[in-house]
Amino acid sequence: MKRQLILEDGTVFVGKAFGADVDRMGEVVFNTGMTGYQEVLSDPSYCGQIVTLTYPLIGNYGINRDDFESITPAISGFVVKEVAEMPSNWRSEITLDEYFKQNNIPGIAGIDTRKLTRIIRQHGTLKGAITSMEKKPEEVIESLKAAVLPTDQVKKVSTKKAYPSPGRGSRVVLVDFGMKHGILRELNKRDCDVVVVPYNVTAQEILNLSPDGIMLSNGPGNPKDVPQAIEMIKGVQGKVPLFGICLGHQLFALANNANTEPLKFGHRGSNHPVRDLETGKIAITSQNHGYAVEDASLENTPLEVTHVALNDGTIEGLKHKEYPAFTVQYHPEASPGPEDANGLFDKFINMIETAKAEGEKQCQNVQI
């Protein structure tokens, strides 16, 4: 069965249908990773987007139970050059086609994904729709031009209630803006006593949990669409060590009077080089974001740039000049991608231990 991918600029691709037999609209983006499609399709940061994979063969190792980054995928659609119908891997349980049918997500294969990627790189991210062949392209194009994409993606993918992930180490409150499970796994590895809380948690609600540290997760969309999180960060920074990733990094910048801006086509893939300005070392990182912190806006803020992207010079890391707080735009938990930057979780734990030791020392001085 055939299916169409139609872009708002008038481009029409006709390909082979797989997955659910439904029509979907969304922002069309591309990911340059060569592996890790299961982690990509289950990353909540892709909420509402139609994801194009530039690697030509997808689905060849199937879908397994272990590599998900969320329980329920939030993508609107999947675009590939070729989809494997007979995967071969000892962990494989079902095919990509079967998984998408289970989760009511449409896919389209057999189109020129290189051409699609070049269109996005040239014109910027575009609205698009995966539709049946019965739909008239001119009517779909008009509806795409008139469509206003949703701005409540974080609300859709965040947890609705706080829940614990117990450990015997430091208490970390993890604010879920669309959290990848990889972040939680890394904290659990370090025996942190984690409490995951919703995106709209208040500063006082977090402080009531007596945290030793606060983690701001990744998430979808424009950081300016989550104003309550910006106010929350203002209320907790300086009181508890803080580490932010991706959307958490952008929200941290906004909370400190910097600005964020949309990128032309975003950074999405597992092969993005980033330089650590302190050490000069370069890490190959996993990334997924459509916004970045505006460099010029950092003037007269208490923030300092710590990392930059080598591909385009955009800001990839920040730290507070006075408080124990730092953030990165990329994903140190990887999943998918290299784990070059995994040590940032250890840096966060060390920051927490230092703050706890200083607190104990101050208490002893008061008692004396």
Side-chain angles (χ1 to χ4, degrees):
M1 186 172 68
K2 290 186 177 181
R3 182 173 284 165
Q4 302 176 102
L5 170 66
I6 303 173
L7 305 181
E8 63 177 310
D9 72 344
T11 305
V12 178
F13 294 92
V14 176
K16 178 183 177 182
F18 70 95
D21 185 16
V22 294
D23 293 349
R24 288 286 175 82
M25 179 186 297
E27 186 180 49
V28 184
V29 300
F30 65 87
N31 181 293
T32 57
M34 295 178 66
T35 187
Y37 57 81
Q38 182 169 333
E39 293 92 327
V40 169
L41 65 88
S42 60
D43 183 347
S45 293
Y46 286 110
C47 178
Q49 294 178 325
I50 295 173
V51 182
T52 304
L53 298 185
T54 61
Y55 191 72
L57 176 60
I58 301 299
N60 52 316
Y61 52 87
I63 297 290
N64 66 74
R65 70 171 194 177
D66 300 320
D67 290 340
F68 291 111
E69 288 302 311
S70 66
I71 294 175
T72 305
I75 61 172
S76 286
F78 222 46
V79 183
V80 301
K81 171 64 176 174
E82 181 181 350
V83 62
E85 298 178 357
M86 298 179 65
S88 177
N89 185 276
W90 67 274
R91 293 196 302 157
S92 177
E93 296 181 345
I94 58 175
T95 67
L96 195 62
D97 175 59
E98 290 169 330
Y99 178 75
F100 279 176
K101 285 176 178 173
Q102 288 178 3
N103 289 276
N104 202 36
I105 297 170
I108 182 171
I111 73 165
D112 188 343
T113 50
R114 291 185 302 174
K115 178 180 178 180
L116 174 57
T117 300
R118 292 184 67 175
I119 291 172
I120 297 171
R121 285 181 60 88
Q122 181 178 352
H123 299 288
T125 302
L126 297 166
K127 289 178 285 186
I130 295 177
T131 74
S132 65
M133 295 301 295
E134 286 71 34
K135 293 290 180 69
K136 296 181 179 179
E138 55 272 18
E139 294 178 358
V140 175
I141 292 166
E142 287 303 312
S143 64
L144 285 171
K145 290 179 178 179
V148 177
L149 295 177
T151 59
D152 62 345
Q153 298 101 314
V154 169
K155 180 179 179 180
K156 289 179 179 178
V157 296
S158 175
T159 183
K160 302 300 184 284
K161 295 170 58 178
Y163 62 91
S165 181
R168 296 190 178 275
S170 297
R171 165 70 61 84
V172 175
V173 172
L174 172 51
V175 186
D176 178 14
F177 300 114
M179 172 196 71
K180 288 173 61 184
H181 288 174
I183 295 174
L184 185 57
R185 282 193 296 268
E186 292 302 326
L187 294 173
N188 289 155
K189 273 185 194 176
R190 292 157 177 84
D191 204 26
C192 291
D193 181 33
V194 183
V195 180
V196 182
V197 296
Y199 78 100
N200 56 355
V201 67
T202 67
Q204 191 56 54
E205 286 170 336
I206 288 180
L207 296 175
N208 288 346
L209 294 169
S210 301
D212 297 312
I214 298 170
M215 171 73 76
L216 307 174
S217 85
N218 64 292
N222 185 342
K224 294 178 182 177
D225 292 332
V226 200
Q228 57 271 67
I230 297 169
E231 293 305 311
M232 175 272 292
I233 294 168
K234 290 179 180 179
V236 298
Q237 65 179 6
K239 299 175 182 176
V240 184
L242 183 148
F243 178 21
I245 293 174
C246 201
L247 183 64
H249 159 84
Q250 298 162 11
L251 290 167
F252 175 71
L254 291 172
N256 285 281
N257 301 316
N259 188 37
T260 55
E261 58 187 355
L263 296 170
K264 185 176 181 181
F265 48 80
H267 296 174
R268 298 178 178 90
S270 53
N271 47 11
H272 289 255
V274 169
R275 184 188 300 277
D276 183 329
L277 297 182
E278 183 177 345
T279 65
K281 292 183 178 179
I282 296 171
I284 304 302
T285 67
S286 176
Q287 302 200 11
N288 177 15
H289 59 275
Y291 291 80
V293 176
E294 185 182 0
D295 196 355
S297 73
L298 293 174
E299 189 175 355
N300 300 320
T301 72
L303 303 180
E304 178 182 335
V305 178
T306 59
H307 298 76
V308 296
L310 294 187
N311 287 340
D312 60 6
T314 52
I315 294 171
E316 290 286 342
L318 295 168
K319 71 176 180 179
H320 202 285
K321 295 177 182 178
E322 301 173 20
Y323 304 145
F326 71 98
T327 61
V328 290
Q329 180 65 81
Y330 52 92
H331 288 263
E333 80 286 354
S335 299
E339 299 180 354
D340 296 22
N342 193 260
L344 290 178
F345 288 96
D346 297 318
K347 177 181 177 179
F348 179 47
I349 300 303
N350 291 337
M351 181 181 285
I352 289 173
E353 295 302 323
T354 299
K356 288 165 69 174
E358 291 176 351
E360 291 173 0
K361 186 176 180 180
Q362 289 174 3
C363 287
Q364 291 171 357
N365 291 337
V366 170
Q367 290 172 356
I368 294 171

